[in-house]
Every structure is written in C-alpha cells, then in structure tokens.
Amino acid sequence: MAQKILIVDDDPNIVTYLEDIFQDAGYATCKATDGADALAVVREEKPALITLDLEMPKEWGPRFYRELTQDEEHKSIPVIVISGLAGNKYAIPKAVASFTKPFDRDELLKVVKDVLG
Amino acid sequence: MCKGFFVNTMQTFVASEPIVIITLDAGHGQVLARILSEYGYRPFTCDYEQTMDVVAEVRPRLILLGLCGPDRARILLQHLLVLYPTTQIVTLVSEDDYGLGLELLEDGAADFLFKPVSEEALRIALGRARTKVDLYNEVETLRAKNRILEENQQLCRQLFDEVPCYISVQNREQRIVRANRQFKLDFGACLGERCYEIYKHRTHPCPNCPVEQTFADGLVHQTEEVVTTCDGEQKIVFTLTAPLRDEHGEITEVMELATDITQIRELQGRLTTLGLFIGSISHGVRGMLTALDGGLYRLEKGIAQNDMELVVNGAERVKLMVSRIRNSVLEMLYYSKERELNIQLVDARNFGEGVANFVEPKANNHGISFEKEFHGVMDRMEMDPEVISSGLVNILENAVDACIEDESKSNHTVSFIMEGSPDTITFRIRDNGMGIERSHQEKMFSLFFSSKGSKGTGLGLYIANEVVKQHGGHILVDSTPGLGTEFCIALPRHHVPQPVSEEQEKVCV
C-alpha cells in the first residue's frame, strides 16, 4: 500500500499542487486546510509524513505541531515545513526539513523519498 | 581752584615716566631734570636742534618746552604736534607773557607755566598732562573695544538672520520679541504677536508648549510640530528651545529654533510604508508563486500525457494566479508612486455596466446571483475611470468573497445599484454574505489591514477609499455579521480637485 502524506495548507491551489506531485511520485495524500482540523485528520488517516504551512487562519502551524508532539501515538510522524515565511526553520526546529515558497519540486521529492525510505 | 582735584588724582611719585626737556639754557635744563628725577621721571634734556632726534628716540608722552625765541618755539611745538599728536607739551613762558601762553594753548600745548617755574606748579602741570594722556589712551582703548563689539554684533545679527532655520525669541506672554529673517519671510511681520497665532493660526496656546516648559525648568525642550506659513503652506518642523537669562540669572526670554523637516518626514513616511508593504505582501506573493508552479505543473503534465482536461485545468489555474499576481503588482505600483488623477468625461451607465461585467462571471461561477440596477439620471460624469473602476471592482470582489465564505445560507446575491442625481452618482454594493465584524469595520480602510490572511494585501480597500476621497466623494459601510454588507460609494458628478494632505498625514502616523 502507498505511504500516505498529510498536506496542511490553507491555500487550496497549493494543496492541489502538492497532491499532484506526491500522487505522481506514487504516494497517497490527505489534506487539512488549517491547524485545528489537521490533528483530527492525523488521527483518522495516520499519515507517514506531514507537510505543514506555518501561517494559516484559526490555528498556526507551530501550535498544531506542539499538539502533535503531545500525542503519544503520533508524535514521531516526521514533519516538513513548507511556508511563505522566511526564516521558518526556527519556528519548528525538529522539522526534518524546511522549504520556503515557492519551493523546488525535485528537492522536496528527494527529501520525502529519503524520509519515507 | 583745580588744584585740590588734581592733587587727589595724581601720583606725586611717578615710576620712570620719560620726559624730554627742551631748553636753550643748559643750566636751567639741569635744574629741571634734577627736580623731575626726584619725582621719579626719567628726564632727557636737549636743545632745539637736537629735539627731533631725541623725541624720536625717547618717544615721551610728556615734553617740557622752554621758550627763548617765541617764534622758533611755536614752530617747533607745531612740528612736534603734527608728528606726535598725543604727546602732551607743557610750555614755559616769561612771567608776564600771558598772551603768548594763551596762543600756545591755542596751538595745542597742554599747558603753560611762567618762568621761573615753581616746583609745585611743575608737578601739578605735569600731573594734569599725564592724566590727560591716560584719559586719551583710555578713550582709544574704549573706541577699539567698541569697534570689536560692533563687529561682533553685526556678526551675531548676520548669523541670527542667515541661519537656515526659524529662530524666534519669546517672552513670558509667548509674544515674539525677536525673529530672524527666515521666520519673518515665511510667517510675516510677527514682532509683538503671539507665537501660536503666528505659527499655528491658533487662538489658544498649544498643549505641551516647549517654550512654557523651558520657562518653568530652564532646560532645553524639543517637539515636532506642524506649522502653517503665511502662504498657507504646511511644514513639519523640529523645534528646540533654550532659556535666555538676565544678569541675575532669571529667565526672561526663551529662544525657539525650528528646523524644517517636512521633506525628511515625507520620505520617512514613504519608506516606512514601502517597508511595511513589502513585508505584508511577501507572504501572499510567495503563496501565489507556488500556486502558479502548481498550475504550470498540471499544464505540462497534461501536454506530456496529451490529456486535454488536465491542460485546460492547468491553464485555468495559471490564469487565476496570474491575475492575482497582477492585481498585487498593480496595487504595489499604485502605492509606490504618487499618481495624478486622470479625469475624463464618461457615460455613467456604460461605466457601471463595465464594472459589473468584470465581476459577474466570478459570482456566477460560484453560484451567486448577480443583480444590477440603474436609477435616476445616468448621463455623463467626470472621474478617473481607471482608479474608480478598480476600487469598485475591489469592493464587488469582496462582496462575492463574503458570499463564498458564508456557509449559513443556501442562496446568495450580490447587487450593484447605481443611482444618479444632478450632482452625485451613488454606487451601492450589497451582499447577503457573512458580514463584517464590528472590530473589522473600524479598521477596514486602514493601510495593510486585511481579514483575508495571506490572500489579502491590505491595500485594496485602503486604495479604494483614497481614490474616492481624491475625487471628493466618500464611502459608507453598513454591515451586520451573519446577514450581509452594503457599501455606499458617493461621487460628485463634477470633479473638484481635493487637497492631498490627508493621505500624507495618515502615512506619517
């Protein structure tokens, strides 16, 4: 079965883009449009990897990440930050990688492949 | 009768004051020299022939001239006075020759004494002559000091006048007692007037007046003020005050020095705005560029796989992102450059139709019904159609977005209603979308305020409001959260140029 990636971003156009490239690379995807929904999706879909936008309405990415790490069952899921904020690598220091939009597609896929093996 | 007076002011012993004794009677000369030595003078005795050489050598302040041949002596006296005008020459004349004595006085001699001269008379006469020389020197010194003083005063005046700042000196009633040229040039005849009347056209003192504070504590105070020149021009000035004290150390006046910093503030405002602006749009632009990549990805994939559906979908995404990026760039260009209005005579109805047609497809795409109505006198109106239409489109798009976001109702309508009166054209943009929260209503026209997160630049409504104000119109908003919103934009039918200062003030805050 294909490994599943959860895409967390409030911009539907960017979600579609990430879905396209991940699916074309052979992964399954699921999505959440803000940090508040994301945790529920994690529990339901149990993704192998999460891509996380930082600046979203209602709940910011960092807060979602904090809640994720307090969840014993899911805290080991690797997170890749994909955000429009410069310097985002400091926001979530434990992220496996940080990308600033607009990102390099091949680099992103390479990191995903390395993480998921 | 003068004796008492001079005795008091004269020293009886003088320390080595040189004196030249001119006499043809060498014996008499020696007697005189001895007497004078006793009083501390340094006498040099000579005859008529040697006079000029000895005087040139000794340069005495005092000369004692004994007369033998009156004519020769008078010529010598005149000669000496021409060469040494400050030298005091006391003459010795024959006992009964009072007339000659007077003539010598007339010629410029300091005094005359009758021969044979008494020691006392000699002492007094020479003492008086010395006093005269001292007085003369004092007067000269005073004259020189006065000259320096005048020069300094002139320099001060020149500095005061030519400093490229406004300087005024104010008394405790805040009346201007002195002002420099630049001040008078820009604020008119102001002496005796009150500072706040001249500077600010106010009827009462300004709050936190730095001059009052300096009167109170004697320290330097500074403020930044907006002042109005007599031509009505507004200037931003940086003001410093300093106390002026009298000889007892009391502060009697305060000097106020104001520097025109209008240009600096304008530039600063603009830079701040630009900095804020770039910060605020960078996140949005990054998102748009990423989504643009997404559209291109689909487009390329569609072409590679010969999948027409993917191509069309990709192209639509690219189109949407390009239009969003274009709007952001245009807003940025509008904002980074001051733009003059390009007023044209346009047909009101055609204009309204054009604006509506721009937004109607977007509304229909989302299943929102779009209604347009035209009432009253449409005819022609004056405006800059480009900026007004972009402002109206912005508000209409907001209305559509408010409907899209609102999940509480099944049917949504956006209405665009134009009403024309002879003087005014009113645009009403009504929606039954989600409404605007009260706290957002107050800030919605502020620069960089956006309720749309990364999708908004916070410029759209700000610019719409600015251009409507530039046209002499106004925007009113009536909104109930959950029910919907109505924007009412009123524009004068005939353009009247508006002052632009308000925008600058806003930016400077």
Side-chain angles (χ1 to χ4, degrees):
Chain A
M1 203 179 89
Q3 287 170 299
K4 192 177 275 177
I5 301 173
L6 167 61
I7 300 160
V8 187
D9 199 305
D10 66 318
D11 187 334
N13 294 299
I14 292 169
V15 171
T16 307
Y17 179 34
L18 290 170
E19 282 173 343
D20 279 0
I21 57 180
F22 292 151
Q23 285 169 12
D24 289 348
Y27 300 104
T29 59
C30 55
K31 62 179 173 179
T33 52
D34 71 58
D37 296 342
L39 211 60
V41 180
V42 168
R43 285 175 185 143
E44 186 161 338
E45 301 277 348
K46 305 199 184 310
L49 174 77
I50 299 170
T51 73
L52 180 63
D53 183 18
L54 293 182
E55 197 184 27
M56 291 176 291
K58 290 188 202 166
E59 198 161 6
W60 271 47
R63 201 170 134 195
F64 159 74
Y65 184 78
R66 214 167 40 244
E67 283 176 18
L68 180 77
T69 53
Q70 285 161 6
D71 186 322
E72 280 303 319
E73 199 184 334
H74 304 108
K75 67 178 184 186
S76 56
I77 302 174
V79 171
I80 297 177
V81 171
I82 303 176
S83 150
L85 294 173
N88 57 25
K89 66 181 85 160
Y90 305 109
I92 298 182
K94 285 184 186 164
V96 294
S98 283
F99 288 87
T100 303
K101 294 172 186 171
F103 54 83
D104 184 305
R105 191 163 59 224
D106 296 331
E107 261 181 51
L108 175 65
L109 281 172
K110 184 176 173 297
V111 170
V112 169
K113 206 174 148 192
D114 288 349
V115 170
L116 294 181
Chain B
M1 84 190 157
C2 293
K3 196 171 159 185
F5 174 70
F6 282 108
V7 164
N8 284 339
T9 59
M10 175 186 92
Q11 294 164 288
T12 43
F13 186 84
V14 291
S16 66
E17 168 88 46
I19 183 163
V20 173
I21 302 163
I22 306 161
T23 176
L24 294 181
D25 178 347
H28 185 228
Q30 272 173 11
V31 173
L32 287 171
R34 208 193 60 242
I35 294 170
L36 290 175
S37 303
E38 277 170 20
Y39 285 109
Y41 289 98
R42 247 181 330 123
F44 298 85
T45 313
C46 63
D47 61 16
Y48 287 6
E49 300 294 334
Q50 301 159 325
T51 296
M52 294 325 283
D53 293 339
V54 172
V55 170
E57 172 84 25
V58 175
R59 287 302 185 106
R61 302 197 300 165
L62 302 176
I63 291 173
L64 197 56
L65 176 58
L67 281 124
C68 290
D71 291 339
R72 229 179 132 191
R74 282 186 72 179
I75 290 165
L76 191 60
L77 175 78
Q78 285 161 6
H79 199 166
L80 282 168
L81 284 172
V82 168
L83 286 174
Y84 311 102
T86 63
T87 308
Q88 300 298 306
I89 302 173
V90 176
T91 54
L92 303 173
V93 300
S94 309
E95 193 171 9
D96 48 359
D97 208 347
Y98 192 73
L100 176 64
L102 287 180
E103 278 174 34
L104 291 166
L105 283 186
E106 195 100 331
D107 287 346
D111 209 343
F112 66 90
L113 298 171
F114 295 128
K115 286 195 284 194
V117 66
S118 79
E119 208 176 304
E120 180 72 352
L122 187 62
R123 195 171 58 80
I124 290 171
L126 287 176
R128 284 168 59 179
R130 288 183 64 240
T131 307
K132 233 171 121 183
V133 175
D134 288 344
L135 278 176
Y136 180 84
N137 286 344
E138 250 171 67
V139 169
E140 276 306 302
T141 314
L142 279 178
R143 273 201 192 129
K145 280 187 182 162
N146 210 22
R147 248 195 325 273
I148 293 166
L149 202 66
E150 267 173 27
E151 279 168 14
N152 282 347
Q153 234 171 6
Q154 205 184 349
L155 184 68
C156 283
R157 184 79 230 169
Q158 208 172 348
L159 285 175
F160 184 67
D161 269 340
E162 300 306 326
V163 166
C165 299
Y166 304 117
I167 306 179
S168 61
V169 175
Q170 296 169 30
N171 62 17
R172 285 193 180 266
E173 293 161 2
Q174 285 167 335
R175 290 191 187 277
I176 298 168
V177 291
R178 265 187 289 275
N180 74 339
R181 208 164 55 101
Q182 192 66 49
F183 190 104
K184 289 175 185 162
L185 209 65
D186 282 2
F187 297 97
C190 54
L191 295 187
E193 303 292 329
R194 289 184 199 273
C195 168
Y196 49 85
E197 289 169 344
I198 292 293
Y199 245 158
K200 310 250 261 179
H201 305 282
R202 289 169 64 101
T203 51
H204 292 86
C206 313
N208 303 322
C209 169
V211 173
E212 266 183 18
Q213 290 171 4
T214 298
F215 268 123
D217 61 15
L219 301 175
V220 170
H221 289 274
Q222 61 183 58
T223 54
E224 200 172 310
E225 305 282 343
V226 179
V227 296
T228 312
T229 65
C230 46
D231 298 337
E233 194 186 340
Q234 291 209 320
K235 286 176 184 285
I236 302 170
V237 293
F238 177 71
T239 306
L240 285 166
T241 53
L244 300 179
R245 297 171 192 272
D246 64 11
E247 63 269 34
H248 310 297
E250 296 287 317
I251 301 170
T252 50
E253 292 167 343
V254 166
M255 181 179 82
E256 189 183 70
L257 185 145
T259 314
D260 185 353
I261 55 164
T262 313
Q263 279 184 321
I264 297 170
R265 280 288 170 271
E266 277 172 4
L267 199 67
Q268 208 174 32
R270 222 148 187 91
L271 285 176
T272 310
T273 309
L274 209 64
L276 276 173
F277 174 68
I278 287 166
S280 78
I281 67 160
S282 78
H283 182 247
V285 167
R286 285 176 182 283
M288 288 186 257
L289 290 174
T290 310
L292 184 65
D293 279 347
L296 281 172
Y297 181 78
R298 278 210 166 170
L299 191 62
E300 282 167 357
K301 192 171 138 189
I303 293 166
Q305 297 175 359
N306 208 9
D307 180 340
M308 227 20 224
E309 209 177 314
L310 262 185
V311 169
V312 170
N313 185 283
E316 261 173 25
R317 282 166 189 276
V318 168
K319 222 161 77 180
L320 178 69
M321 285 310 132
V322 166
S323 94
R324 278 199 195 159
I325 292 169
R326 189 188 53 205
N327 283 348
S328 278
V329 170
L330 288 180
E331 282 175 354
M332 185 178 77
L333 291 184
Y334 177 89
Y335 202 76
S336 55
K337 191 165 170 275
E338 216 151 329
R339 184 181 179 282
E340 295 280 315
L341 287 181
N342 175 19
I343 298 297
Q344 294 170 25
L345 200 58
V346 299
D347 182 274
R349 175 147 190 157
N350 279 351
F351 173 78
E353 295 270 9
V355 169
N357 287 343
F358 208 87
V359 185
E360 199 167 356
K362 181 179 174 181
N364 292 338
N365 278 347
H366 288 87
I368 297 159
S369 56
F370 191 90
E371 292 172 352
K372 49 192 175 190
E373 296 172 27
F374 300 90
H375 304 287
V377 192
M378 281 295 112
D379 207 6
R380 294 199 287 185
M381 65 180 296
E382 290 173 353
M383 65 153 111
D384 181 337
E386 196 185 327
V387 295
I388 291 293
S389 92
S390 77
L392 290 172
V393 165
N394 193 295
I395 295 170
L396 276 166
E397 284 185 335
N398 284 347
V400 173
D401 288 342
C403 292
I404 296 171
E405 295 275 317
D406 179 36
E407 290 161 1
S408 68
K409 308 176 198 80
S410 50
N411 291 316
H412 286 107
T413 308
V414 170
S415 311
F416 178 68
I417 304 149
M418 266 180 89
E419 292 157 9
S421 78
D423 300 326
T424 312
I425 300 277
T426 307
F427 302 86
R428 282 181 203 287
I429 295 171
R430 195 181 294 153
D431 70 71
N432 62 343
M434 63 198 287
I436 304 165
E437 285 173 36
R438 170 84 31 207
S439 64
H440 288 184
Q441 284 183 34
E442 284 162 16
K443 292 183 283 188
M444 59 197 292
F445 292 114
S446 317
L447 190 55
F448 307 132
F449 174 78
S450 177
S451 61
K452 294 183 179 178
S454 60
K455 286 181 214 128
T457 58
L459 277 176
L461 275 185
Y462 171 79
I463 293 175
N465 194 38
E466 287 304 316
V467 298
V468 167
K469 276 198 304 191
Q470 254 183 303
H471 278 75
H474 60 265
I475 301 183
L476 295 175
V477 189
D478 182 16
S479 182
T480 311
L483 289 182
T485 304
E486 181 177 306
F487 275 78
C488 173
I489 302 104
L491 291 177
R493 192 182 284 274
H494 302 288
H495 178 69
V496 182
Q498 302 295 311
V500 290
S501 59
E502 210 174 327
E503 186 199 20
Q504 288 167 347
E505 263 174 36
K506 207 168 186 176
V507 170
C508 287
V509 168

